[in-house]
């Protein structure tokens, strides 16, 4: 078999055979296929797509290129959630605690942020002592005993994806639905979960800017999951404006704790309860979404979700007193208000630009090895549809420097105040 013929085939829009896909993945991992041929095939896939069966084959070959976690020793149906990433998306943190409080095992393997989107691991590392790198044995023990763990990838998960993703990043082939879907699902299948709820973001702050593209990605993800016997569904949620009010690592942990205490912002709470209800039903702990939602709400009112979160923090080496004293996390030197320049209704808050503003304050990475400032970020006081009077604070900017004029200008350019606003629904579609 020759890589040249495989590239030629995809260039002409033909379906690759299982053997050809396996030859490609094996060659990428062994290093026998040079980067220029891999890149050429990725571009051909970008333009000509892949059939469902090609996507499943690519996913499984990438999954088999590395370790596969066996979680069968843990009691109960293991349920995970994956989000395609957004601004202010701290959902995993309170969600894992709510679901685990119902005695459902939640083994979460999460990632770091890059660019304008935040990463769950970075947020958790704002808690003094919290360790995201724990051994596979400790991970399993924790999920068995505490029913939840949120960690970084252990061992060698899907090394083929690591190599292919690095090349996609520099060859303008990241935003290809078959490549995104196989990349995400190879890692999720390798992580050993029984069931998966996927939150596909749509809008300005998301990978997929249009509902059509988001729907196509959601369908591809679910099809791959179901094709390998995983209980899997997706929902599409809005990422035109940031989720919740807080953007920034420590600020998002504080907002997650507030939610667990019953004081979360309405949009974040709605998304957490919706995703959580699907997880509870997939785990077989409720017969209907309504019953599941009521049970989850109960874990907030009786305090058990908050205690679950504390248990996880302590089990992973963190300071559990963060729950009562979020101020033990790094605090920014300055809190700077951003007043509205006119009266009206907030019509747009461009999520990607607010994410970039938080990154420029030091809360996100511009390069993969950048150090983060956990304290900085933004807390929104107005969301789309809210009325404002001139001079009202639109947001508080948490900064370690007073000189943030360029960042303020950037934010002003990306918040629109008009006479009216079109309300955007948070949850757009469910894909099963
Ligand atoms: N997340 C992934 O893991 N892979 C992609 O290709 C895109 C987002």
């Amino acid at each position: 078999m020759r890589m040249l013929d495989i590239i030629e085939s995809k260039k002409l829009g033909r379906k690759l055979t299982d053997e050809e896909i396996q030859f490609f993945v094996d060659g990428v991992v062994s290093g026998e296929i040079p980067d220029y041929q891999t890149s050429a095939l990725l571009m051909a896939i970008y333009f000509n797509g892949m059939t469902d069966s090609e996507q499943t084959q690519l996913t499984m070959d990438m999954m088999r290129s590395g370790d596969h976690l066996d979680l069968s020793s843990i009691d109960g149906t293991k349920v995970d959630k994956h989000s395609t990433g957004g601004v202010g998306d701290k959902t995993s943190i309170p969600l894992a605690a709510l679901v685990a409080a119902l005695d459902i095992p939640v083994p979460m393997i999460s990632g770091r942020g890059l660019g304008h989107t935040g990463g769950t691991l970075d947020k958790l590392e704002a808690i003094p002592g919290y360790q995201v790198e724990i051994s596979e044995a400790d991970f399993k023990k924790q999920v068995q005993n505490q029913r939840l763990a949120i960690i970084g990838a252990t061992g060698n998960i899907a090394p083929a994806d690591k190599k292919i993703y690095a090349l996609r990043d520099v060859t303008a082939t990241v935003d290809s639905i078959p490549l995104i879907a196989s990349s995400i699902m190879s890692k999720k299948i390798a992580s050993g979960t029984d069931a998966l709820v996927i939150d596909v973001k749509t809008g300005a702050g998301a990978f997929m800017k249009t509902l059509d593209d988001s729907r196509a990605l959601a369908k591809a993800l679910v099809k791959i999951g179901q094709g390998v016997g995983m209980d899997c569904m997706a929902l599409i949620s809005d990422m035109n404006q940031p989720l919740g009010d807080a953007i920034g690592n420590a600020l998002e942990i504080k907002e997650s704790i507030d939610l667990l205490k019953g004081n979360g912002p309405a949009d974040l709470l709605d998304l957490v309860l919706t995703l959580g209800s699907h997880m509870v039903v997939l785990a077989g702990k409720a017969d209907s979404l309504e019953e599941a939602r009521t049970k989850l709400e109960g874990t907030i009112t009786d305090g058990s979700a908050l205690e679950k979160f504390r248990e996880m923090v302590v089990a992973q080496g963190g300071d559990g007193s963060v729950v009562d004293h979020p101020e033990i996390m790094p605090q920014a030197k300055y809190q700077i208000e951003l007043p509205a320049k006119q009266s009206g209704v907030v019509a747009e808050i461009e999520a990607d630009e607010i994410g970039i503003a938080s990154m420029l304050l030091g809360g996100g990475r511009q390069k993969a090895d950048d150090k983060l400032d956990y304290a900085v970020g933004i807390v929104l006081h107005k969301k789309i549809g809210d009325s404002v009077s001139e001079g009202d604070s639109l947001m508080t900017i948490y900064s370690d420097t007073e000189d943030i004029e360029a960042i303020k200008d950037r934010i002003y350019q990306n918040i629109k105040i008009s006479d009216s606003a079109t309300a955007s629904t948070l949850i757009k579609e469910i894909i099963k």
Side-chain angles (χ1 to χ4, degrees):
M1 203 173 290
R2 293 191 322 154
M3 186 60 187
L4 182 63
D5 300 326
I6 298 176
I7 299 168
E8 178 75 11
S9 221
K10 192 40 87 183
K11 184 184 85 180
L12 297 174
R14 295 190 191 129
K15 179 175 182 299
L16 301 179
T17 64
D18 291 355
E19 293 72 28
E20 285 172 326
I21 294 173
Q22 189 167 356
F23 176 87
F24 163 62
V25 173
D26 290 349
V28 167
V29 176
S30 69
E32 275 162 56
I33 297 176
D35 288 355
Y36 51 82
Q37 285 193 313
T38 301
S39 304
L41 182 63
L42 294 173
M43 191 57 85
I45 293 172
Y46 178 89
F47 281 114
N48 288 324
M50 286 185 126
T51 64
D52 291 345
S53 66
E54 282 177 296
Q55 289 179 48
T56 303
Q57 184 67 29
L58 178 60
T59 307
M60 294 311 281
D61 287 337
M62 292 207 294
M63 188 277 282
R64 283 188 286 256
S65 72
D67 299 340
H68 181 252
L69 257 65
D70 178 2
L71 304 182
S72 58
S73 60
I74 300 169
D75 302 329
T77 305
K78 276 72 69 184
V79 194
D80 192 3
K81 189 258 335 180
H82 179 81
S83 156
T84 58
V87 178
D89 184 9
K90 71 283 292 171
T91 313
S92 292
I93 297 161
L95 174 66
L98 259 78
V99 174
L102 295 177
D103 196 25
I104 296 167
V106 184
M108 274 194 183
I109 297 186
S110 294
R112 298 194 179 275
L114 185 65
H116 70 274
T117 64
T120 301
L121 299 181
D122 298 325
K123 294 169 200 186
L124 287 165
E125 282 179 342
I127 302 171
Y130 192 97
Q131 299 300 316
V132 299
E133 280 173 31
I134 63 177
S135 71
E136 189 179 323
D138 286 345
F139 176 59
K140 287 186 196 170
K141 212 185 305 159
Q142 189 179 317
V143 178
Q144 173 64 36
N145 295 338
Q146 274 77 36
R147 311 311 267 159
L148 80 170
I150 307 183
I151 64 163
T154 62
N156 190 25
I157 297 264
D161 175 64
K162 270 198 200 95
K163 285 200 170 183
I164 292 173
Y165 193 91
L167 280 177
R168 286 167 58 205
D169 213 17
V170 291
T171 56
T173 51
V174 168
D175 55 339
S176 149
I177 287 172
L179 296 178
I180 298 176
S182 54
S183 165
I184 292 174
M185 294 307 288
S186 62
K187 289 173 285 195
K188 283 293 152 189
I189 297 166
S191 76
T193 188
D194 299 316
L196 179 67
V197 172
I198 308 165
D199 181 13
V200 176
K201 301 288 185 194
T202 193
F207 254 124
M208 297 286 131
K209 309 285 180 211
T210 69
L211 189 54
D212 279 352
D213 283 348
S214 308
R215 187 183 299 117
L217 176 59
K219 285 188 174 165
L221 291 161
V222 169
K223 196 145 209 163
I224 294 172
Q226 291 175 346
V228 300
M230 187 187 272
D231 226 344
C232 185
M233 55 81 59
L235 57 79
I236 301 176
S237 72
D238 183 63
M239 190 31 75
N240 278 305
Q241 64 176 334
L243 181 65
D245 299 335
I247 303 108
N249 299 294
L251 296 169
E252 292 190 46
I253 294 292
K254 176 169 183 316
E255 186 165 88
S256 303
I257 293 169
D258 288 344
L259 184 142
L260 294 169
K261 291 178 176 170
N263 305 319
D267 58 345
L268 179 64
L269 179 64
D270 187 21
L271 186 62
V272 166
L273 290 173
T274 306
L275 289 162
S277 303
H278 285 282
M279 290 171 77
V280 173
V281 169
L282 288 181
K285 292 273 185 175
D287 293 328
S288 68
L289 292 172
E290 295 70 32
E291 184 194 346
R293 199 173 178 106
T294 306
K295 285 187 169 178
L296 289 167
E297 284 167 342
T299 70
I300 298 181
T301 26
D302 70 10
S304 56
L306 185 68
E307 279 318 303
K308 263 292 152 211
F309 175 71
R310 191 199 306 264
E311 265 183 58
M312 176 182 76
V313 169
V314 172
Q316 290 186 231
D319 186 341
S321 71
V322 71
V323 165
D324 311 303
H325 299 286
E327 67 281 3
I328 66 166
M329 290 185 287
Q331 301 293 303
K333 277 203 201 107
Y334 302 99
Q335 295 185 18
I336 301 163
E337 302 303 321
L338 193 82
K341 290 183 176 172
Q342 67 187 87
S343 301
V345 178
V346 178
E348 279 173 25
I349 308 176
E350 292 286 333
D352 47 349
E353 289 293 336
I354 302 297
I356 291 170
S358 175
M359 177 184 78
L360 294 173
L361 288 164
R365 292 185 187 83
Q366 305 192 51
K367 295 188 294 334
D369 56 355
D370 280 352
K371 284 254 167 308
L372 296 182
D373 183 342
Y374 294 113
V376 300
I378 289 167
V379 174
L380 302 173
H381 304 308
K382 303 284 174 189
K383 302 276 300 246
I384 293 177
D386 288 347
S387 300
V388 287
S389 302
E390 187 183 334
D392 282 356
S393 178
L394 293 169
M395 62 185 69
T396 305
I397 301 173
Y398 290 73
S399 174
D400 276 334
T401 153
E402 266 183 309
D403 177 20
I404 56 162
E405 286 317 303
I407 294 176
K408 282 179 163 176
D409 286 348
R410 185 171 197 130
I411 297 174
Y412 272 129
Q413 279 163 25
N414 288 287
I415 294 199
K416 202 158 127 199
I417 298 175
S418 326
D419 296 338
S420 63
T422 320
S424 166
T425 40
L426 179 64
I427 292 154
K428 313 264 181 208
E429 277 178 34
I430 307 277
I431 310 280
K432 285 190 173 181

